[in-house]
């Protein structure tokens, strides 16, 4: 739970910086957020979650 919350905060900060910097426009950012929201309700969500957990576990072991 703590990993997913901090990942959401980090990714949110990155999106805000990219939008404010002009690298990413608001409409594509909203489209990506919507895609992520709907992807979370599919069968791919557990696979993505376990992959992120494996990567964060690997980074923590370094």
């Amino acid at each position: 739970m703590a990993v997913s919350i901090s990942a959401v905060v980090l990714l949110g900060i990155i999106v805000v910086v990219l939008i404010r910097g002009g690298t990413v426009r608001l409409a594509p950012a909203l489209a990506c957020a919507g895609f992520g929201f709907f992807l979370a309700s599919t069968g791919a969500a557990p696979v993505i979650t376990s992959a992120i957990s494996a990567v964060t576990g690997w980074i923590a072991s370094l």
Side-chain angles (χ1 to χ4, degrees):
M1 183 66 153
V3 172
S4 64
I5 291 174
S6 56
V8 167
V9 171
L10 176 65
L11 291 173
I13 291 170
I14 291 171
V15 167
V16 168
V17 168
L18 289 174
I19 289 173
R20 289 186 54 94
T23 305
V24 176
R25 300 281 183 217
L26 183 60
L30 290 175
C32 289
F35 173 72
F37 179 76
F38 288 113
L39 182 65
S41 64
T42 67
V47 176
I48 295 169
T49 303
S50 64
I52 291 173
S53 295
V55 169
T56 55
W58 178 74
I59 291 172
S61 69
L62 293 177

